[in-house]
Structure formats: C-alpha cells, structure tokens
Amino acid sequence: MKRVAILSWPLGGNTRLVADKLIRQFTFYNEEDIKAEKLDFLSVSEGKLRPFDVIIIGGSTVETEDNWLKADETTKWSTFFDIIRFADLTGKKAAVFAIGNQKAYPDNFADGMSELKTVLEQKGAKIIGHWPTDDYDFFDSRSIEGEKFIGLVIDQENQPELTDRRIIDWVDQLVVEIGN
Ligand SMILES: Cc1cc2nc3c(=O)[nH]c(=O)nc-3n(C[C@H](O)[C@H](O)[C@H](O)COP(=O)(O)O)c2cc1C
C-alpha cells in the first residue's frame, strides 16, 4: 500500500478547501493500494514524513516573497523549509499544488509552488503531477516548465466551476504516476 501525505498552508480559506477535496478524492481508490492522510502542517517533522511514499504539498500564492520566504505570524513556510532542509526524501515521490488568481495576478499566477518544487527536488524527491496550462488565461508564471505547470493549479475565485473536475483528473493522474 502506498501512503500519501498531504500538507498545506494556510490552514483555512481556499487552500483548505482544495486540500480537503484532494483527501476526499483519494478515498475513491482502494485503500489497500493507496491511502492519503492530511498531516498537520504546524507540527510536521522529518520523522513524521518518513513513513510516506508520496508527499503532496500546496498553498495559496499570496505575494511570493512574503509568503514563502518570511517567517512571521501570517506564514509558516520558512519554518517548514527549515524542517525539510534536514529531511532525506530520496526514493519518495512528491507533487505540488497552488491556489492563485489569474485575473488579479496574471504576471505571477500561482508562482509560489515553484519554491516548493525546488526544495522537494533538492532533497531527493521525484516530482510527479505536472499539469496542462490549457483552460487558464494569464501572462506569466514561475510555476511553468516546458509547456506545463509543475503541479495542479486551482483558481477558486475565477474558475470555481472547474475545481472539482481538475481535482478528480489530477488525482487520477497521480495514482497512475505513483504506481509507475
Ligand atoms: C495580498 C495578496 C497577494 C496575492 N498574490 C498572488 C500572486 O502573486 N499570484 C497569484 O496567483 N495569486 C495571488 N493572490 C491570490 C490568492 O492566491 C487567492 O486569493 C487564493 O484563492 C487565496 O487562497 P487562501 O484563501 O487559501 O489564502 C494574492 C492574494 C492576496 C490577498
């Protein structure tokens, strides 16, 4: 059985909505094959990540520099990066997701997850879950490699009607890629 950890920040808002939907979507697969669990972002440690085969991490892009690199009351990403710096993720697979707003931030759409991917890869994880950019309308994003996003992108403010379909399709894709 493959164990999947899902971690996200912030703990509320659209990020929580998406994280909860992801967890729920995994329950439609056979638990003997694959099981997803939500890990508490605030108390995560190397030891807690160790038993998992796959780590999925995401969050909302809220002004990249502040959100990802500054540790204060509004963001815990720096703390998380400090923890992950000591983790060995060799042999694990990892996927990232971002919540963004393509109309309000067309030049930085879903930028945040690029930092996450970099850190996960540096620690030895293999990134899965690349996602097509079709059906989004924006100008630029740091989260694109080649023709694709490096992970799932959800725009709950402009395209809420596409969220459920995107999550179903992404989890379907992940399940295949986890099995490979
Ligand atoms: C101050 C601020 C800055 C933001 N910056 C970006 C950005 O750079 N790129 C982007 O795609 N979305 C950006 N957003 C949009 C958020 O990612 C979007 O509102 C998201 O749904 C918030 O999710 P949350 O409720 O989980 O925080 C920003 C929102 C705020 C309030």
Side-chain angles (χ1 to χ4, degrees), residues 10 12-15 60-63 99-101 105 108-110 157:
N14 289 327
T15 301
S60 52
T61 297
V62 183
E63 285 177 318
I99 293 88
N101 183 324
Y105 301 90
N108 299 89
F109 182 43
E157 277 140 12

Side-chain angles (χ1 to χ4, degrees), residues 1 4-6 8 13 27-28 51 57 70 74 80 84-85 87 97 104 108 118 126 131 144 148 152 163-164 171:
M1 191 251 279
V4 179
I6 301 189
S8 57
T27 64
F28 293 107
I57 309 182
K70 198 175 100 195
T74 61
F80 175 75
I84 207 102
R85 211 161 277 141
F97 65 96
N108 299 89
T118 304
K126 180 181 188 298
W131 185 247
I144 292 183
K148 289 191 166 183
L152 177 68
T163 296
D164 284 356
V171 171

Side-chain angles (χ1 to χ4, degrees), residues 2 4-6 17-30 33-37 54-57 93 95-97 128-132 136 151-154 162-180:
K2 300 282 186 195
V4 179
I6 301 189
L17 180 110
V18 171
D20 286 349
K21 281 178 184 285
L22 284 170
I23 287 278
R24 184 169 176 272
Q25 193 55 35
F26 274 100
T27 64
F28 293 107
Y29 296 83
N30 190 341
D33 297 331
I34 194 157
K35 188 172 180 339
E37 294 159 56
V54 183
I55 299 167
I56 300 177
I57 309 182
K93 292 179 178 172
V96 291
F97 65 96
I128 57 171
H130 288 71
W131 185 247
Y136 302 86
L152 177 68
V153 176
I154 297 291
L162 299 182
T163 296
D164 284 356
R165 186 75 251 164
R166 283 173 171 161
I167 286 172
I168 291 167
D169 289 348
W170 194 57
V171 171
D172 239 356
Q173 178 187 327
L174 288 181
V175 169
V176 172
E177 293 181 42
I178 288 166
N180 286 341

Side-chain angles (χ1 to χ4, degrees), residues 14 23 34 39 45 66-67 77 84 86 116 148 151 160:
N14 289 327
I23 287 278
I34 194 157
L39 281 197
S45 63
D66 274 9
N67 195 40
W77 282 113
I84 207 102
F86 296 101
L116 278 177
K148 289 191 166 183

Side-chain angles (χ1 to χ4, degrees), residues 32-88:
E32 284 167 21
D33 297 331
I34 194 157
K35 188 172 180 339
E37 294 159 56
K38 202 167 174 178
L39 281 197
D40 177 20
F41 185 83
L42 296 177
S43 68
V44 71
S45 63
E46 198 213 340
K48 285 185 184 165
L49 289 176
R50 208 172 297 140
F52 290 92
D53 305 287
V54 183
I55 299 167
I56 300 177
I57 309 182
S60 52
T61 297
V62 183
E63 285 177 318
T64 307
E65 298 237 329
D66 274 9
N67 195 40
W68 303 92
L69 303 176
K70 198 175 100 195
D72 56 25
E73 278 116 53
T74 61
T75 168
K76 302 290 178 197
W77 282 113
S78 297
T79 318
F80 175 75
F81 285 143
D82 284 346
I83 290 160
I84 207 102
R85 211 161 277 141
F86 296 101
D88 181 7

